[in-house]
Amino acid sequence: MARSFWQTWFQPKVSAIRPGSARRTRLSLEALDGASYPYLQVPGFAPNLRLDPPIQGSHAYRSVDTAAKMRAELSELEIDIGVLFPDHLLTFATLPNIEYATALGQAYNRWLMEEWLLKEPGLYGVLLATPQDPEAAAREIERYAKEERIVGIYLPTAGVNPLLGHRKYDPIMAAAEAAGLPVCLHSVTVVTPAFPCQIDQFENHFGRQVVSHAFAMMANLTSLIHSGAPARFPGLRVVFTEAGIAWVPYMMWRMDKYFNEYRRMVPFLEKRPSDYIREMMWFATQPIEEPDNPKDLVATIDLIGGPERIIYASDWPHHDFDHPRTIMKLPMPGDAKRKIMGENALRLFGITAPAGKL
Amino acid sequence: MARSFWQTWFQPKVSAIRPGSARRTRLSLEALDGASYPYLQVPGFAPNLRLDPPIQGSHAYRSVDTAAKMRAELSELEIDIGVLFPDHLLTFATLPNIEYATALGQAYNRWLMEEWLLKEPGLYGVLLATPQDPEAAAREIERYAKEERIVGIYLPTAGVNPLLGHRKYDPIMAAAEAAGLPVCLHSVTVVTPAFPCQIDQFENHFGRQVVSHAFAMMANLTSLIHSGAPARFPGLRVVFTEAGIAWVPYMMWRMDKYFNEYRRMVPFLEKRPSDYIREMMWFATQPIEEPDNPKDLVATIDLIGGPERIIYASDWPHHDFDHPRTIMKLPMPGDAKRKIMGENALRLFGITAPAGKL
C-alpha cells in the first residue's frame, strides 16, 4: 500500500505539532490510511456537516484523484492550462490551531507541487498562504517564488478572521507583491461565526449558496480598500474567484460614492476605489451569471470596464462547473473572448502559452 | 411646556409594560422631557455609539423637527409627495423587550399620523410593523389599513433576527397583503450580532457603510426567496430602500442560476427568483450609484428590466440625500424619468397625484 499523504508530505514530525501527545495524534492520523484521496481532498480534513437532508436527484460530490485524470479531463474540455485551487482546504481559515494549520498548509503545498503540478503539462497552482500565521506564509511564498508552476497565492476567505484587509496579513501581501504573484481569494459555503459566514439561519443550501461566496468577496474587497491595502502595496494584484462578476459594478460605484462622502475616514487612499479595482484586481467568471439575454452579461462586462479584468474559471471538477462555451457563446467580439479565455490569465499569472496556442 | 412624546403618545401605561417597576421607568422616561424632538427622532431611543473619532469637516447629523419644516424643505426640492420613514427607529429591530417594542412602535405610529402626516399636504408614511411581535404588528396594520396617509408597511432590517423570510413574520406579510400595502425594507448602519450586521471589524465608517445597507437588502431578499415568501403571499409587494439599485441584476441572475442548480431545495417556488422580483418587488434609488458615465446607470436600470420597478428616494433630510436632479440628469427618455420620479410610486403606494401634477 502506498504511503499516505500524512506519512509523505507532513513535516515537521507530528510530535512537534502537538508536543506531548505525539502517539495519540499519530494513531489518529494513521487511522486515516487506506482511504482514497480524491482531487486535492486531504483526508482527515473534511469537516463539512451535512446541513440539508439528502434529496433524490441531487448531484453527488464530484472529484478527481490523480493529476493524469485531471489533465485528461481538462483536455476533454479543450482547456490547455489549469490553475489548481484546493478543494476541502477552502475551509482552511477555520482551523484554530496555528501550528497545525501552518504544517498542513506546507504539506499541501509540497503535495500540490509533487503529486499534481510536476506530474503533467499545463497544470499550474496557487500556493496556500496560511492566514493563521502570516509570517510563516511569507516565508513559504519566498520559498516557492521562483517555481514555474506556482503562479499565485491562494488565500481562503471562508471563515477568515479578521478579513483580509487587516494589517495582520501585511507580511503575506508584501511577500506576494515582492514575488510578483497575484493573491487569489476563493470562498466556499460554510457556516462559521466569522463575518460574513454567519449564515446559520438560512434554511437550505440555495439560500446559503446565494450569499456565501457573494458576501465573502464583497466583504474582503471592502476590507482591502477600507484599510488602504492597495495604497500600502501598490504592486499587489488581487483575484476574486467563484462569486461571478455582476457584483463588481455595484461595489465599484458604491465605494466611489462613499469615498466622496467619507474620504476623511480613508485619507490613505490615493485613488478612488474603482481606480484601484480597475488597476489591481481581476475577477474570475465562475459561476458566470446567465441572464435570459446574453447581451446583458456582455453589458455587465462593459460596466466593469471591458474584458481586461475578467478571467475564465471552470471550477472543474465540480458538477456545477462552467463549460468554456458559457463564455464562447456570448455575443462578444473574438478578441474579448480571447482575453477572457486565456490572454488575461496568461499575463496575470506569468504563464507562457503552449506552442501553437493563442 | 408641551407634553412630551411619552406623555402624549405612549400607550398603554408604562406600568403595563414593566409590571412592578412602573415608578422607576416613569421617572427615567420623564427625565427625557425638555429635549427637542428632531424629525422622527424619538427621544430616549438613540442608542448609537460613536465608533469613529470626530473628524474635522464631517457633516453634522441633519434632521427636521416639524411637519411644516419638512413640507417646506421638500417643496424647495420640488418634491410634491414624501413618504416618511423613521429615522432613529431604523434600529428598531435591535430592541429586545417585546412589550416595550410593541408599545413604542404603536406610539410612533400614532405620533407619525397626528404630528406629521395629518399636519401637512403631501406627506405620507409607512407604518412601523414590530418584527418582535408579528401578531401585534398585524393588528396594527389592520387598524391603519384604511388611513389614506398610510401607504406602506415599514420593516426594519438592521439587526432583524431572524431575517424577514422567516415564517415568524407571516402574520405581517399576510396583513400587508390583505391591506394592499407594500412592505418597505429599510436598513441602517449598526453593529449588532444579527446577520449580516456583524460588521464590528471594519475600522471606519466607510467600510461599514459600504457593506451594511448592501448586505441587509441582499440577505433579506435571499431570505424572502429561499423560504418561499413570494409563493406563500402572491399578492405581497416588497420595496427595498437605501442600498442603491446596482446590486439587483447580480442577485436576480445569481438566484436564477442557483434556482436551476438547487431547485429541489426550494420546491415551493413556482417561478424563478427573477420572475418574483420583477413582478413583486421595487427598488428605491438612494444612494443612487454615480458611475463616471451616466449611461452606465441607465444600462443598469435596463438590466433590472427597465424603469418600472425603480422609484426615486431622496433620503431627505440627511446630508447625503439624493437631489431629484440625480435622476433628472440621466440620459434617459422623459417617460422613464416620469416613472422613476413619481408614476411608479403613485401606483405602488396607491396615492393620487395632486391636481396639475404628472
Side-chain angles (χ1 to χ4, degrees), chain A residues 182-213:
Chain A
V183 163
C184 303
L185 278 50
H186 194 309
S187 195
V188 72
T189 300
V190 288
V191 178
T192 82
F195 186 78
C197 304
Q198 303 103 332
I199 53 175
D200 48 285
Q201 66 171 281
F202 288 97
E203 298 165 33
N204 51 54
H205 193 69
F206 169 85
R208 287 188 293 272
Q209 184 77 1
V210 167
V211 301
S212 61
H213 293 264

Short mmCIF file of all heavy atoms in Angstrom, two decimals, chain A residues 182-213:
data_model
loop_
_atom_site.label_atom_id
_atom_site.label_comp_id
_atom_site.label_asym_id
_atom_site.label_seq_id
_atom_site.Cartn_x
_atom_site.Cartn_y
_atom_site.Cartn_z
N PRO A 182 0.08 37.14 -7.96
CA PRO A 182 -1.22 37.66 -7.55
C PRO A 182 -1.80 36.86 -6.39
O PRO A 182 -1.59 35.65 -6.29
CB PRO A 182 -2.08 37.51 -8.81
CG PRO A 182 -1.42 36.44 -9.61
CD PRO A 182 0.04 36.53 -9.30
N VAL A 183 -2.51 37.55 -5.54
CA VAL A 183 -3.21 36.92 -4.42
C VAL A 183 -4.61 36.56 -4.89
O VAL A 183 -5.33 37.40 -5.43
CB VAL A 183 -3.26 37.91 -3.23
CG1 VAL A 183 -4.31 37.49 -2.23
CG2 VAL A 183 -1.89 38.02 -2.58
N CYS A 184 -4.98 35.29 -4.70
CA CYS A 184 -6.25 34.80 -5.24
C CYS A 184 -7.19 34.43 -4.10
O CYS A 184 -6.91 33.51 -3.34
CB CYS A 184 -6.01 33.58 -6.12
SG CYS A 184 -4.86 33.90 -7.47
N LEU A 185 -8.29 35.14 -4.01
CA LEU A 185 -9.27 34.88 -2.95
C LEU A 185 -10.30 33.88 -3.46
O LEU A 185 -10.82 34.01 -4.57
CB LEU A 185 -9.97 36.18 -2.56
CG LEU A 185 -9.27 37.10 -1.57
CD1 LEU A 185 -7.83 37.38 -1.97
CD2 LEU A 185 -10.04 38.40 -1.41
N HIS A 186 -10.59 32.90 -2.64
CA HIS A 186 -11.57 31.88 -3.01
C HIS A 186 -12.35 31.54 -1.76
O HIS A 186 -11.79 31.35 -0.70
CB HIS A 186 -10.85 30.64 -3.56
CG HIS A 186 -11.75 29.68 -4.27
ND1 HIS A 186 -12.92 29.19 -3.71
CD2 HIS A 186 -11.66 29.09 -5.48
CE1 HIS A 186 -13.50 28.35 -4.56
NE2 HIS A 186 -12.76 28.27 -5.65
N SER A 187 -13.66 31.48 -1.89
CA SER A 187 -14.50 31.18 -0.75
C SER A 187 -15.16 29.82 -0.92
O SER A 187 -14.90 29.09 -1.88
CB SER A 187 -15.57 32.27 -0.58
OG SER A 187 -16.16 32.18 0.69
N VAL A 188 -15.98 29.47 0.03
CA VAL A 188 -16.78 28.26 -0.04
C VAL A 188 -17.92 28.46 0.96
O VAL A 188 -17.81 29.29 1.86
CB VAL A 188 -15.92 27.01 0.30
CG1 VAL A 188 -15.58 26.96 1.77
CG2 VAL A 188 -16.62 25.72 -0.14
N THR A 189 -18.99 27.73 0.76
CA THR A 189 -20.14 27.89 1.64
C THR A 189 -19.95 27.11 2.92
O THR A 189 -20.02 25.88 2.91
CB THR A 189 -21.43 27.45 0.92
OG1 THR A 189 -21.60 28.24 -0.25
CG2 THR A 189 -22.65 27.61 1.82
N VAL A 190 -19.65 27.81 3.98
CA VAL A 190 -19.60 27.19 5.30
C VAL A 190 -20.29 28.11 6.29
O VAL A 190 -20.42 29.30 6.05
CB VAL A 190 -18.16 26.94 5.80
CG1 VAL A 190 -17.49 25.83 5.04
CG2 VAL A 190 -17.34 28.22 5.75
N VAL A 191 -20.72 27.53 7.38
CA VAL A 191 -21.31 28.31 8.46
C VAL A 191 -20.26 28.45 9.55
O VAL A 191 -19.84 27.46 10.14
CB VAL A 191 -22.57 27.61 9.02
CG1 VAL A 191 -23.14 28.42 10.18
CG2 VAL A 191 -23.61 27.41 7.93
N THR A 192 -19.79 29.65 9.76
CA THR A 192 -18.83 29.90 10.84
C THR A 192 -19.22 31.20 11.53
O THR A 192 -20.00 31.98 10.99
CB THR A 192 -17.38 30.04 10.32
OG1 THR A 192 -17.19 31.39 9.84
CG2 THR A 192 -17.06 29.06 9.22
N PRO A 193 -18.65 31.44 12.71
CA PRO A 193 -19.00 32.68 13.42
C PRO A 193 -18.24 33.90 12.90
O PRO A 193 -18.34 34.97 13.48
CB PRO A 193 -18.60 32.40 14.87
CG PRO A 193 -18.22 30.96 14.92
CD PRO A 193 -17.84 30.57 13.54
N ALA A 194 -17.46 33.76 11.82
CA ALA A 194 -16.67 34.89 11.32
C ALA A 194 -17.42 35.58 10.19
O ALA A 194 -17.89 34.93 9.24
CB ALA A 194 -15.31 34.39 10.82
N PHE A 195 -17.50 36.89 10.26
CA PHE A 195 -18.18 37.67 9.23
C PHE A 195 -17.56 37.42 7.86
O PHE A 195 -16.36 37.42 7.74
CB PHE A 195 -18.07 39.17 9.56
CG PHE A 195 -18.86 40.05 8.64
CD1 PHE A 195 -20.23 40.18 8.79
CD2 PHE A 195 -18.23 40.75 7.62
CE1 PHE A 195 -20.97 41.00 7.95
CE2 PHE A 195 -18.96 41.56 6.77
CZ PHE A 195 -20.33 41.69 6.93
N PRO A 196 -18.34 37.27 6.79
CA PRO A 196 -19.81 37.24 6.74
C PRO A 196 -20.37 35.82 6.61
O PRO A 196 -21.28 35.59 5.83
CB PRO A 196 -20.09 38.04 5.48
CG PRO A 196 -18.95 37.67 4.56
CD PRO A 196 -17.77 37.31 5.43
N CYS A 197 -19.79 34.88 7.34
CA CYS A 197 -20.18 33.47 7.21
C CYS A 197 -21.20 33.03 8.25
O CYS A 197 -21.44 31.84 8.40
CB CYS A 197 -18.94 32.58 7.32
SG CYS A 197 -17.66 32.97 6.12
N GLN A 198 -21.80 33.98 8.95
CA GLN A 198 -22.80 33.61 9.97
C GLN A 198 -24.14 33.35 9.28
O GLN A 198 -25.13 34.03 9.53
CB GLN A 198 -22.94 34.74 11.00
CG GLN A 198 -21.63 35.11 11.68
CD GLN A 198 -21.02 36.38 11.13
OE1 GLN A 198 -21.24 36.72 9.98
NE2 GLN A 198 -20.26 37.09 11.95
N ILE A 199 -24.14 32.34 8.42
CA ILE A 199 -25.32 32.10 7.59
C ILE A 199 -26.12 30.91 8.10
O ILE A 199 -26.75 30.18 7.34
CB ILE A 199 -24.91 31.90 6.11
CG1 ILE A 199 -23.84 30.82 5.99
CG2 ILE A 199 -24.39 33.20 5.53
CD1 ILE A 199 -23.47 30.50 4.53
N ASP A 200 -26.09 30.75 9.42
CA ASP A 200 -26.73 29.60 10.04
C ASP A 200 -28.24 29.59 9.88
O ASP A 200 -28.87 28.55 9.94
CB ASP A 200 -26.40 29.56 11.54
CG ASP A 200 -26.60 30.92 12.19
OD1 ASP A 200 -25.75 31.81 11.98
OD2 ASP A 200 -27.62 31.11 12.88
N GLN A 201 -28.85 30.77 9.71
CA GLN A 201 -30.32 30.79 9.72
C GLN A 201 -30.93 30.49 8.36
O GLN A 201 -32.15 30.35 8.28
CB GLN A 201 -30.83 32.12 10.25
CG GLN A 201 -30.52 33.30 9.37
CD GLN A 201 -31.24 34.56 9.85
OE1 GLN A 201 -32.43 34.72 9.60
NE2 GLN A 201 -30.54 35.42 10.54
N PHE A 202 -30.13 30.42 7.29
CA PHE A 202 -30.73 30.06 6.01
C PHE A 202 -31.14 28.60 6.04
O PHE A 202 -30.37 27.74 6.47
CB PHE A 202 -29.76 30.36 4.86
CG PHE A 202 -29.62 31.83 4.61
CD1 PHE A 202 -28.56 32.54 5.15
CD2 PHE A 202 -30.56 32.51 3.87
CE1 PHE A 202 -28.44 33.91 4.95
CE2 PHE A 202 -30.46 33.88 3.66
CZ PHE A 202 -29.39 34.59 4.20
N GLU A 203 -32.33 28.35 5.58
CA GLU A 203 -32.94 27.04 5.80
C GLU A 203 -32.51 25.99 4.80
O GLU A 203 -32.79 24.80 5.00
CB GLU A 203 -34.48 27.18 5.72
CG GLU A 203 -35.05 28.09 6.78
CD GLU A 203 -36.48 28.50 6.46
OE1 GLU A 203 -37.22 27.69 5.87
OE2 GLU A 203 -36.87 29.63 6.80
N ASN A 204 -31.90 26.42 3.73
CA ASN A 204 -31.47 25.45 2.72
C ASN A 204 -30.24 25.97 2.00
O ASN A 204 -29.87 27.14 2.13
CB ASN A 204 -32.62 25.15 1.74
CG ASN A 204 -33.21 26.44 1.19
OD1 ASN A 204 -32.49 27.27 0.64
ND2 ASN A 204 -34.52 26.62 1.33
N HIS A 205 -29.62 25.07 1.25
CA HIS A 205 -28.36 25.41 0.61
C HIS A 205 -28.53 26.46 -0.47
O HIS A 205 -27.59 27.21 -0.76
CB HIS A 205 -27.71 24.15 0.04
CG HIS A 205 -26.28 24.34 -0.35
ND1 HIS A 205 -25.29 24.53 0.58
CD2 HIS A 205 -25.68 24.41 -1.57
CE1 HIS A 205 -24.13 24.68 -0.05
NE2 HIS A 205 -24.34 24.62 -1.34
N PHE A 206 -29.71 26.54 -1.05
CA PHE A 206 -29.97 27.60 -2.02
C PHE A 206 -29.67 28.96 -1.39
O PHE A 206 -28.89 29.75 -1.92
CB PHE A 206 -31.42 27.54 -2.51
CG PHE A 206 -31.84 28.75 -3.31
CD1 PHE A 206 -31.59 28.83 -4.67
CD2 PHE A 206 -32.47 29.82 -2.69
CE1 PHE A 206 -31.97 29.96 -5.39
CE2 PHE A 206 -32.86 30.95 -3.40
CZ PHE A 206 -32.60 31.02 -4.75
N GLY A 207 -30.26 29.21 -0.23
CA GLY A 207 -30.05 30.49 0.44
C GLY A 207 -28.61 30.71 0.86
O GLY A 207 -28.04 31.78 0.64
N ARG A 208 -28.01 29.68 1.45
CA ARG A 208 -26.62 29.82 1.89
C ARG A 208 -25.68 30.08 0.72
O ARG A 208 -24.78 30.92 0.78
CB ARG A 208 -26.18 28.57 2.65
CG ARG A 208 -26.79 28.42 4.03
CD ARG A 208 -26.17 27.26 4.81
NE ARG A 208 -26.50 25.97 4.23
CZ ARG A 208 -27.58 25.25 4.51
NH1 ARG A 208 -28.46 25.70 5.38
NH2 ARG A 208 -27.79 24.08 3.94
N GLN A 209 -25.91 29.35 -0.37
CA GLN A 209 -25.01 29.46 -1.52
C GLN A 209 -25.13 30.83 -2.19
O GLN A 209 -24.14 31.37 -2.69
CB GLN A 209 -25.34 28.34 -2.52
CG GLN A 209 -24.42 28.27 -3.73
CD GLN A 209 -23.07 27.65 -3.40
OE1 GLN A 209 -22.79 27.25 -2.28
NE2 GLN A 209 -22.20 27.61 -4.40
N VAL A 210 -26.33 31.39 -2.18
CA VAL A 210 -26.53 32.71 -2.81
C VAL A 210 -25.67 33.76 -2.10
O VAL A 210 -24.98 34.56 -2.73
CB VAL A 210 -28.01 33.12 -2.80
CG1 VAL A 210 -28.18 34.60 -3.15
CG2 VAL A 210 -28.80 32.27 -3.80
N VAL A 211 -25.69 33.74 -0.77
CA VAL A 211 -24.99 34.81 -0.06
C VAL A 211 -23.54 34.50 0.25
O VAL A 211 -22.71 35.42 0.33
CB VAL A 211 -25.71 35.22 1.26
CG1 VAL A 211 -27.13 35.69 0.98
CG2 VAL A 211 -25.70 34.11 2.27
N SER A 212 -23.16 33.23 0.42
CA SER A 212 -21.84 32.92 0.99
C SER A 212 -20.69 33.47 0.15
O SER A 212 -19.92 34.32 0.60
CB SER A 212 -21.69 31.41 1.16
OG SER A 212 -21.79 30.76 -0.10
N HIS A 213 -20.56 32.99 -1.07
CA HIS A 213 -19.46 33.46 -1.92
C HIS A 213 -19.59 34.95 -2.21
O HIS A 213 -18.60 35.68 -2.22
CB HIS A 213 -19.45 32.70 -3.25
CG HIS A 213 -19.11 31.25 -3.11
ND1 HIS A 213 -17.84 30.76 -3.31
CD2 HIS A 213 -19.87 30.17 -2.82
CE1 HIS A 213 -17.84 29.44 -3.14
NE2 HIS A 213 -19.06 29.06 -2.85
#
